[in-house]
Amino acid sequence: MVWKNQDTCAIVGVGATDYYRRGQSWPRTINDMAGEAILNACADAGIDVKQIDGFAYYSTAGAGYLDKFDTASLMETLGIPHVGFSATLTSGGGGCPGAIGLATAGLMNEDCTYTVTLMALQQLPQHRLGVVFGASAPNPENSFLQPSGLVGPGHLMSVLARRHMHLYGTQPEAFREVVQATRANTHNRPKAVRRNSLSNEEYNGSPMLADPLRRLDFCLETDGAVAVITTTMDRARDCRHKPAVVHGVTHGGQREWGRAFAWMGMPDPHFASSGHQYVADRLWEQTGLSAGDMDVALIYDHFSCMVLMQLEDYGFCAKGEGSDYVLSGKLRYDATTRGGTHGGVPVNTHGGNLNEAYIIGMTHIVEGVEQVRGTAINQVKDAEFALVTGGPASLPVSGMVLRRD
């Protein structure tokens, strides 16, 4: 099965603000940061902001889950005269690549010509994503989560990580290797929040927040904004940079894993997984590719254990073999080779959510675009295909393959 919109659209512009540690973006506002990111993306694409006529959001247009994007406000702020498409996907960070698929739907229906997907995040002292469930009003799901001490996403993911360890003998050192391997990619990135190398002793000394996950297994809590612009291929080739062709994109999931962020009643093997198997199978069917064809993988890493489980779900290794795969060093980026070290595919060459910044997955799309353009800071030689994943942060989740033009 070939995706109907395969190779018809491309990402042509990427833009971002600086990345701030949680709460340090104040007194900036969500619209201020979103506007800057959009203007930077327009400059990158070589278009005028008034040419934007579409918005494709995710996380139900939630700006960091704490505010809501309003298309009318952004139009007024930026002077955009009209829009023909404004739509949003459900789920949280699981929708970031999926929102590019949403953009292609509007573009191929000729509702719009240049579509923006963005995310902005601002966590003031009273609003923290790390304890979002504990701070929420009681409801049927929270009536289980809150008394159980599952007050944030990391606590829920820790239960899945422990199950994976129980079923497959996964070693905690594998989680450490995910953090260290991706941290090694930020030393030359000026905007990265965590840039220092990470020793075993420093990792092991990190507080245990939700056994078996330590603080450094949790993604950063950062403020900032990222925007990307998608258009059709006929327009894309007139833009400033080489287009990052949208070769395939899927968004969805299975009911069994969908229980993860509410009831924790998933059966095995879904319990010890990232919930990406369904979208991964669809993505490879759409594109005719496999994990072995990828030159770089930008894996949604809100928690280190979820990187390991996504590697299994996308077929980089077999189910239950993620620990050995990671510990063999196959995630590591090596600038002297086409791919990673030890025969692997380099993962999160930008440092990811764990080390560069957490803007709910959008930094991964930026890195994927720059890799297939050939302009990334940690460039994979001759990169043709980049995998970008979104979630798990409840269902649906998503995956996307970007192709070099």
Side-chain angles (χ1 to χ4, degrees):
M1 179 188 74
V2 176
W3 179 43
K4 183 178 180 180
N5 291 339
Q6 187 176 74
D7 297 342
T8 59
C9 298
I11 297 174
V12 295
V14 295
T17 64
D18 287 336
Y19 303 135
Y20 306 87
R21 291 188 180 273
R22 174 177 56 85
Q24 293 184 7
S25 61
W26 182 258
R28 302 193 71 178
T29 66
I30 285 287
N31 275 0
D32 171 25
M33 292 190 291
E36 180 187 337
I38 292 170
L39 290 173
N40 288 343
C42 288
D44 186 62
I47 66 170
D48 189 276
V49 68
K50 294 181 180 180
Q51 292 178 261
I52 292 171
D53 56 359
F55 287 86
Y57 303 106
Y58 63 101
S59 186
T60 59
Y65 302 95
L66 310 173
D67 296 287
K68 291 287 183 182
F69 286 123
D70 180 76
T71 297
S73 295
L74 290 170
M75 292 173 68
E76 187 68 29
T77 300
L78 296 170
I80 296 171
H82 58 263
V83 296
F85 184 79
S86 180
T88 183
L89 292 181
T90 57
S91 99
C96 47
I100 305 302
L102 181 63
T104 67
L107 291 162
M108 296 313 298
N109 200 47
E110 299 183 351
D111 291 324
C112 49
T113 55
Y114 294 94
T115 303
V116 167
T117 297
L118 75 149
M119 178 54 71
L121 182 56
Q122 186 174 54
Q123 300 175 79
L124 301 179
Q126 67 272 31
H127 293 129
R128 282 189 59 191
L129 288 180
V131 293
V132 64
F133 301 121
S136 300
N139 60 35
E141 285 79 19
N142 282 341
S143 294
F144 167 74
L145 298 177
Q146 290 170 338
S148 301
L150 303 174
V151 299
H155 301 85
L156 276 68
M157 296 296 98
S158 72
V159 181
L160 276 65
R162 180 57 69 183
R163 186 65 179 172
H164 200 280
M165 296 171 75
H166 170 75
L167 290 177
Y168 306 118
T170 301
Q171 299 300 305
E173 290 79 10
F175 305 147
R176 181 181 69 198
E177 170 61 15
V178 170
V179 181
Q180 290 178 322
T182 54
R183 175 74 70 87
N185 298 330
T186 61
H187 70 280
N188 56 355
R189 301 185 71 85
K191 292 172 66 172
V193 174
R194 290 174 175 160
R195 297 178 59 193
N196 296 331
S197 61
L198 179 64
S199 68
N200 291 349
E201 292 73 21
E202 288 172 304
Y203 173 87
N204 294 336
S206 179
M208 187 75 74
L209 297 187
D211 188 18
L213 302 181
R214 300 179 178 277
R215 184 175 65 191
L216 291 176
D217 292 304
F218 282 53
C219 68
L220 289 156
E221 289 184 293
T222 47
D223 295 356
V226 176
V228 304
I229 297 172
T230 308
T231 192
T232 52
M233 283 303 300
D234 57 332
R235 297 184 185 91
R237 293 198 173 102
D238 292 329
C239 290
R240 179 164 291 163
H241 298 287
K242 291 181 180 179
V245 182
V246 181
H247 193 56
V249 59
T250 55
H251 182 248
Q254 289 176 269
R255 174 190 175 196
E256 290 85 354
W257 198 91
R259 302 167 186 167
F261 260 58
W263 313 301
M264 307 300 286
M266 308 88 78
D268 288 328
H270 301 280
F271 203 122
S273 82
S274 70
H276 274 260
Q277 183 73 60
Y278 176 76
V279 297
D281 290 346
R282 289 179 61 216
L283 187 64
W284 301 141
E285 184 180 12
Q286 278 185 6
T287 60
L289 302 172
S290 69
D293 296 306
M294 297 300 103
D295 299 295
V296 60
L298 295 317
I299 304 290
Y300 195 93
D301 56 334
H302 50 346
F303 305 102
S304 60
C305 57
M306 288 295 110
V307 173
L308 184 152
M309 295 184 205
Q310 285 178 78
L311 291 168
E312 294 179 349
D313 282 350
Y314 280 91
F316 290 92
C317 57
K319 188 67 180 175
E321 295 182 3
S323 181
D324 290 342
Y325 181 90
V326 168
L327 288 171
S328 70
K330 291 182 177 179
L331 276 60
R332 298 268 177 170
Y333 164 74
D334 184 347
T336 65
T337 68
R338 183 170 184 269
T341 60
H342 307 289
V345 174
V347 170
N348 294 353
T349 43
H350 60 315
N353 296 326
L354 289 166
N355 298 297
E356 184 189 37
Y358 180 61
I359 312 296
I360 313 186
M362 286 295 289
T363 60
H364 293 61
I365 297 179
V366 172
E367 180 69 8
V369 169
E370 293 180 345
Q371 285 287 346
V372 298
R373 280 181 180 175
T375 61
I377 292 175
N378 295 319
Q379 181 64 49
V380 175
K381 185 179 179 182
D382 300 325
E384 182 177 7
F385 294 110
L387 172 68
V388 184
T389 73
S394 76
L395 284 186
V397 296
S398 59
M400 174 172 64
V401 172
L402 295 175
R403 179 180 66 79
R404 184 180 67 212
D405 187 38

